[in-house]
Amino acid sequence: MTRILVTLGIILVIVGVAWPWLATLGLGRLPGDIVIERGNYRFYFPLTTMILLSLFLSLLLWLFRK
């Protein structure tokens, strides 16, 4: 369990550091991502981005298990 938590922490740090570069790829601004802006309120739900990342990570984990 400790190994999994440490690995997840390292992955989160790497994604956090790489986020400016990842933002230039267009992730988070895909068709299907929900953005509602009203006055000084902004609601953002990256539906399509989450589905694509889930598919990519599932494929990656499936390949590493084989």
mmCIF file of all heavy atoms in Angstrom, residues 24-49:
data_model
loop_
_atom_site.group_PDB
_atom_site.id
_atom_site.type_symbol
_atom_site.label_atom_id
_atom_site.label_comp_id
_atom_site.label_asym_id
_atom_site.label_seq_id
_atom_site.Cartn_x
_atom_site.Cartn_y
_atom_site.Cartn_z
ATOM 1 N N THR A 24 -0.502 23.215 -23.453
ATOM 2 C CA THR A 24 -0.297 23.624 -24.844
ATOM 3 C C THR A 24 -0.768 22.547 -25.821
ATOM 4 O O THR A 24 -0.964 22.841 -26.994
ATOM 5 C CB THR A 24 1.187 23.937 -25.124
ATOM 6 O OG1 THR A 24 1.966 22.765 -24.893
ATOM 7 C CG2 THR A 24 1.686 25.075 -24.256
ATOM 8 N N LEU A 25 -0.959 21.314 -25.345
ATOM 9 C CA LEU A 25 -1.457 20.239 -26.197
ATOM 10 C C LEU A 25 -2.958 20.348 -26.448
ATOM 11 O O LEU A 25 -3.489 19.651 -27.293
ATOM 12 C CB LEU A 25 -1.154 18.877 -25.568
ATOM 13 C CG LEU A 25 0.305 18.502 -25.446
ATOM 14 C CD1 LEU A 25 0.437 17.173 -24.712
ATOM 15 C CD2 LEU A 25 0.949 18.411 -26.817
ATOM 16 N N GLY A 26 -3.641 21.216 -25.715
ATOM 17 C CA GLY A 26 -5.075 21.388 -25.899
ATOM 18 C C GLY A 26 -5.910 20.588 -24.932
ATOM 19 O O GLY A 26 -7.134 20.609 -25.016
ATOM 20 N N LEU A 27 -5.278 19.857 -24.038
ATOM 21 C CA LEU A 27 -6.055 19.127 -23.044
ATOM 22 C C LEU A 27 -6.798 20.123 -22.164
ATOM 23 O O LEU A 27 -6.235 21.099 -21.702
ATOM 24 C CB LEU A 27 -5.148 18.242 -22.188
ATOM 25 C CG LEU A 27 -4.542 17.049 -22.890
ATOM 26 C CD1 LEU A 27 -3.614 16.316 -21.944
ATOM 27 C CD2 LEU A 27 -5.611 16.117 -23.392
ATOM 28 N N GLY A 28 -8.063 19.861 -21.952
ATOM 29 C CA GLY A 28 -8.870 20.766 -21.152
ATOM 30 C C GLY A 28 -9.679 21.733 -21.988
ATOM 31 O O GLY A 28 -10.526 22.445 -21.470
ATOM 32 N N ARG A 29 -9.436 21.757 -23.290
ATOM 33 C CA ARG A 29 -10.208 22.635 -24.186
ATOM 34 C C ARG A 29 -10.759 21.831 -25.351
ATOM 35 O O ARG A 29 -10.894 22.337 -26.451
ATOM 36 C CB ARG A 29 -9.317 23.764 -24.704
ATOM 37 C CG ARG A 29 -8.852 24.708 -23.623
ATOM 38 C CD ARG A 29 -8.041 25.810 -24.224
ATOM 39 N NE ARG A 29 -7.002 25.290 -25.115
ATOM 40 C CZ ARG A 29 -5.725 25.486 -24.984
ATOM 41 N NH1 ARG A 29 -5.280 26.216 -24.006
ATOM 42 N NH2 ARG A 29 -4.850 24.972 -25.847
ATOM 43 N N LEU A 30 -11.070 20.585 -25.108
ATOM 44 C CA LEU A 30 -11.576 19.708 -26.153
ATOM 45 C C LEU A 30 -13.087 19.879 -26.307
ATOM 46 O O LEU A 30 -13.767 20.288 -25.367
ATOM 47 C CB LEU A 30 -11.257 18.254 -25.805
ATOM 48 C CG LEU A 30 -9.785 17.891 -25.716
ATOM 49 C CD1 LEU A 30 -9.635 16.473 -25.206
ATOM 50 C CD2 LEU A 30 -9.124 18.041 -27.067
ATOM 51 N N PRO A 31 -13.618 19.567 -27.481
ATOM 52 C CA PRO A 31 -15.076 19.575 -27.630
ATOM 53 C C PRO A 31 -15.688 18.548 -26.673
ATOM 54 O O PRO A 31 -15.222 17.424 -26.575
ATOM 55 C CB PRO A 31 -15.296 19.142 -29.076
ATOM 56 C CG PRO A 31 -14.014 19.404 -29.764
ATOM 57 C CD PRO A 31 -12.945 19.262 -28.735
ATOM 58 N N GLY A 32 -16.681 18.949 -25.944
ATOM 59 C CA GLY A 32 -17.294 18.079 -24.950
ATOM 60 C C GLY A 32 -16.930 18.453 -23.532
ATOM 61 O O GLY A 32 -17.577 18.011 -22.588
ATOM 62 N N ASP A 33 -15.892 19.262 -23.350
ATOM 63 C CA ASP A 33 -15.572 19.792 -22.028
ATOM 64 C C ASP A 33 -16.585 20.879 -21.697
ATOM 65 O O ASP A 33 -16.891 21.732 -22.528
ATOM 66 C CB ASP A 33 -14.155 20.368 -21.991
ATOM 67 C CG ASP A 33 -13.090 19.287 -22.070
ATOM 68 O OD1 ASP A 33 -13.428 18.114 -21.854
ATOM 69 O OD2 ASP A 33 -11.935 19.629 -22.354
ATOM 70 N N ILE A 34 -17.118 20.852 -20.507
ATOM 71 C CA ILE A 34 -18.191 21.761 -20.118
ATOM 72 C C ILE A 34 -17.606 22.949 -19.371
ATOM 73 O O ILE A 34 -16.925 22.781 -18.360
ATOM 74 C CB ILE A 34 -19.221 21.028 -19.244
ATOM 75 C CG1 ILE A 34 -19.823 19.864 -20.032
ATOM 76 C CG2 ILE A 34 -20.298 21.987 -18.757
ATOM 77 C CD1 ILE A 34 -20.655 18.927 -19.205
ATOM 78 N N VAL A 35 -17.879 24.148 -19.874
ATOM 79 C CA VAL A 35 -17.454 25.382 -19.224
ATOM 80 C C VAL A 35 -18.656 26.312 -19.147
ATOM 81 O O VAL A 35 -19.272 26.639 -20.157
ATOM 82 C CB VAL A 35 -16.314 26.079 -19.999
ATOM 83 C CG1 VAL A 35 -15.921 27.380 -19.303
ATOM 84 C CG2 VAL A 35 -15.120 25.171 -20.139
ATOM 85 N N ILE A 36 -19.009 26.748 -17.938
ATOM 86 C CA ILE A 36 -20.104 27.685 -17.729
ATOM 87 C C ILE A 36 -19.536 28.910 -17.023
ATOM 88 O O ILE A 36 -18.989 28.793 -15.925
ATOM 89 C CB ILE A 36 -21.229 27.062 -16.883
ATOM 90 C CG1 ILE A 36 -21.794 25.833 -17.596
ATOM 91 C CG2 ILE A 36 -22.319 28.088 -16.607
ATOM 92 C CD1 ILE A 36 -22.776 25.044 -16.765
ATOM 93 N N GLU A 37 -19.648 30.064 -17.667
ATOM 94 C CA GLU A 37 -19.155 31.312 -17.082
ATOM 95 C C GLU A 37 -20.317 32.278 -16.931
ATOM 96 O O GLU A 37 -21.009 32.589 -17.890
ATOM 97 C CB GLU A 37 -18.080 31.926 -17.974
ATOM 98 C CG GLU A 37 -16.824 31.100 -18.051
ATOM 99 C CD GLU A 37 -15.751 31.761 -18.888
ATOM 100 O OE1 GLU A 37 -15.760 32.992 -18.987
ATOM 101 O OE2 GLU A 37 -14.924 31.030 -19.451
ATOM 102 N N ARG A 38 -20.521 32.757 -15.722
ATOM 103 C CA ARG A 38 -21.559 33.743 -15.439
ATOM 104 C C ARG A 38 -21.006 34.737 -14.432
ATOM 105 O O ARG A 38 -20.745 34.402 -13.291
ATOM 106 C CB ARG A 38 -22.800 33.078 -14.860
ATOM 107 C CG ARG A 38 -23.461 32.170 -15.845
ATOM 108 C CD ARG A 38 -24.780 31.686 -15.348
ATOM 109 N NE ARG A 38 -25.347 30.801 -16.346
ATOM 110 C CZ ARG A 38 -26.216 29.869 -16.095
ATOM 111 N NH1 ARG A 38 -26.645 29.700 -14.864
ATOM 112 N NH2 ARG A 38 -26.672 29.115 -17.058
ATOM 113 N N GLY A 39 -20.843 35.959 -14.879
ATOM 114 C CA GLY A 39 -20.297 36.994 -13.990
ATOM 115 C C GLY A 39 -18.909 36.620 -13.509
ATOM 116 O O GLY A 39 -18.001 36.390 -14.295
ATOM 117 N N ASN A 40 -18.761 36.549 -12.192
ATOM 118 C CA ASN A 40 -17.459 36.199 -11.623
ATOM 119 C C ASN A 40 -17.406 34.727 -11.215
ATOM 120 O O ASN A 40 -16.562 34.320 -10.443
ATOM 121 C CB ASN A 40 -17.140 37.089 -10.423
ATOM 122 C CG ASN A 40 -18.172 36.935 -9.314
ATOM 123 O OD1 ASN A 40 -19.196 36.299 -9.497
ATOM 124 N ND2 ASN A 40 -17.898 37.516 -8.174
ATOM 125 N N TYR A 41 -18.325 33.923 -11.736
ATOM 126 C CA TYR A 41 -18.387 32.500 -11.435
ATOM 127 C C TYR A 41 -18.004 31.695 -12.677
ATOM 128 O O TYR A 41 -18.445 31.988 -13.779
ATOM 129 C CB TYR A 41 -19.815 32.121 -11.005
ATOM 130 C CG TYR A 41 -20.025 30.654 -10.799
ATOM 131 C CD1 TYR A 41 -19.517 30.017 -9.685
ATOM 132 C CD2 TYR A 41 -20.726 29.901 -11.733
ATOM 133 C CE1 TYR A 41 -19.707 28.665 -9.499
ATOM 134 C CE2 TYR A 41 -20.918 28.549 -11.563
ATOM 135 C CZ TYR A 41 -20.415 27.937 -10.437
ATOM 136 O OH TYR A 41 -20.603 26.599 -10.259
ATOM 137 N N ARG A 42 -17.187 30.679 -12.478
ATOM 138 C CA ARG A 42 -16.785 29.821 -13.587
ATOM 139 C C ARG A 42 -16.823 28.370 -13.121
ATOM 140 O O ARG A 42 -16.186 27.992 -12.143
ATOM 141 C CB ARG A 42 -15.387 30.170 -14.054
ATOM 142 C CG ARG A 42 -14.952 29.346 -15.232
ATOM 143 C CD ARG A 42 -13.623 29.794 -15.761
ATOM 144 N NE ARG A 42 -13.290 29.003 -16.929
ATOM 145 C CZ ARG A 42 -12.108 28.918 -17.444
ATOM 146 N NH1 ARG A 42 -11.118 29.604 -16.908
ATOM 147 N NH2 ARG A 42 -11.892 28.180 -18.498
ATOM 148 N N PHE A 43 -17.584 27.555 -13.841
ATOM 149 C CA PHE A 43 -17.666 26.124 -13.578
ATOM 150 C C PHE A 43 -17.017 25.399 -14.752
ATOM 151 O O PHE A 43 -17.356 25.635 -15.907
ATOM 152 C CB PHE A 43 -19.131 25.683 -13.441
ATOM 153 C CG PHE A 43 -19.285 24.196 -13.281
ATOM 154 C CD1 PHE A 43 -18.974 23.582 -12.088
ATOM 155 C CD2 PHE A 43 -19.721 23.418 -14.340
ATOM 156 C CE1 PHE A 43 -19.109 22.211 -11.936
ATOM 157 C CE2 PHE A 43 -19.852 22.044 -14.207
ATOM 158 C CZ PHE A 43 -19.555 21.451 -12.999
ATOM 159 N N TYR A 44 -16.104 24.519 -14.446
ATOM 160 C CA TYR A 44 -15.344 23.828 -15.485
ATOM 161 C C TYR A 44 -15.376 22.334 -15.198
ATOM 162 O O TYR A 44 -15.005 21.888 -14.116
ATOM 163 C CB TYR A 44 -13.915 24.345 -15.503
ATOM 164 C CG TYR A 44 -13.034 23.654 -16.490
ATOM 165 C CD1 TYR A 44 -13.226 23.804 -17.851
ATOM 166 C CD2 TYR A 44 -12.001 22.837 -16.067
ATOM 167 C CE1 TYR A 44 -12.428 23.161 -18.763
ATOM 168 C CE2 TYR A 44 -11.195 22.186 -16.966
ATOM 169 C CZ TYR A 44 -11.414 22.351 -18.314
ATOM 170 O OH TYR A 44 -10.622 21.698 -19.207
ATOM 171 N N PHE A 45 -15.847 21.547 -16.161
ATOM 172 C CA PHE A 45 -15.897 20.099 -16.028
ATOM 173 C C PHE A 45 -15.322 19.476 -17.294
ATOM 174 O O PHE A 45 -15.995 19.411 -18.323
ATOM 175 C CB PHE A 45 -17.349 19.644 -15.810
ATOM 176 C CG PHE A 45 -17.470 18.190 -15.472
ATOM 177 C CD1 PHE A 45 -17.029 17.709 -14.253
ATOM 178 C CD2 PHE A 45 -18.016 17.300 -16.377
ATOM 179 C CE1 PHE A 45 -17.135 16.359 -13.936
ATOM 180 C CE2 PHE A 45 -18.125 15.957 -16.075
ATOM 181 C CZ PHE A 45 -17.690 15.491 -14.847
ATOM 182 N N PRO A 46 -14.077 19.007 -17.261
ATOM 183 C CA PRO A 46 -13.408 18.487 -18.468
ATOM 184 C C PRO A 46 -13.815 17.047 -18.788
ATOM 185 O O PRO A 46 -13.034 16.108 -18.653
ATOM 186 C CB PRO A 46 -11.934 18.591 -18.105
ATOM 187 C CG PRO A 46 -11.922 18.419 -16.627
ATOM 188 C CD PRO A 46 -13.179 19.070 -16.128
ATOM 189 N N LEU A 47 -15.025 16.866 -19.233
ATOM 190 C CA LEU A 47 -15.580 15.534 -19.465
ATOM 191 C C LEU A 47 -14.796 14.762 -20.533
ATOM 192 O O LEU A 47 -14.350 13.631 -20.301
ATOM 193 C CB LEU A 47 -17.049 15.650 -19.869
ATOM 194 C CG LEU A 47 -17.798 14.353 -20.082
ATOM 195 C CD1 LEU A 47 -17.859 13.572 -18.783
ATOM 196 C CD2 LEU A 47 -19.193 14.641 -20.599
ATOM 197 N N THR A 48 -14.623 15.338 -21.703
ATOM 198 C CA THR A 48 -13.921 14.659 -22.788
ATOM 199 C C THR A 48 -12.458 14.401 -22.429
ATOM 200 O O THR A 48 -11.917 13.329 -22.720
ATOM 201 C CB THR A 48 -13.993 15.488 -24.079
ATOM 202 O OG1 THR A 48 -15.359 15.768 -24.357
ATOM 203 C CG2 THR A 48 -13.381 14.762 -25.245
ATOM 204 N N THR A 49 -11.826 15.359 -21.797
ATOM 205 C CA THR A 49 -10.434 15.194 -21.388
ATOM 206 C C THR A 49 -10.295 14.034 -20.408
ATOM 207 O O THR A 49 -9.375 13.216 -20.534
ATOM 208 C CB THR A 49 -9.908 16.491 -20.759
ATOM 209 O OG1 THR A 49 -10.031 17.549 -21.704
ATOM 210 C CG2 THR A 49 -8.461 16.358 -20.340
#
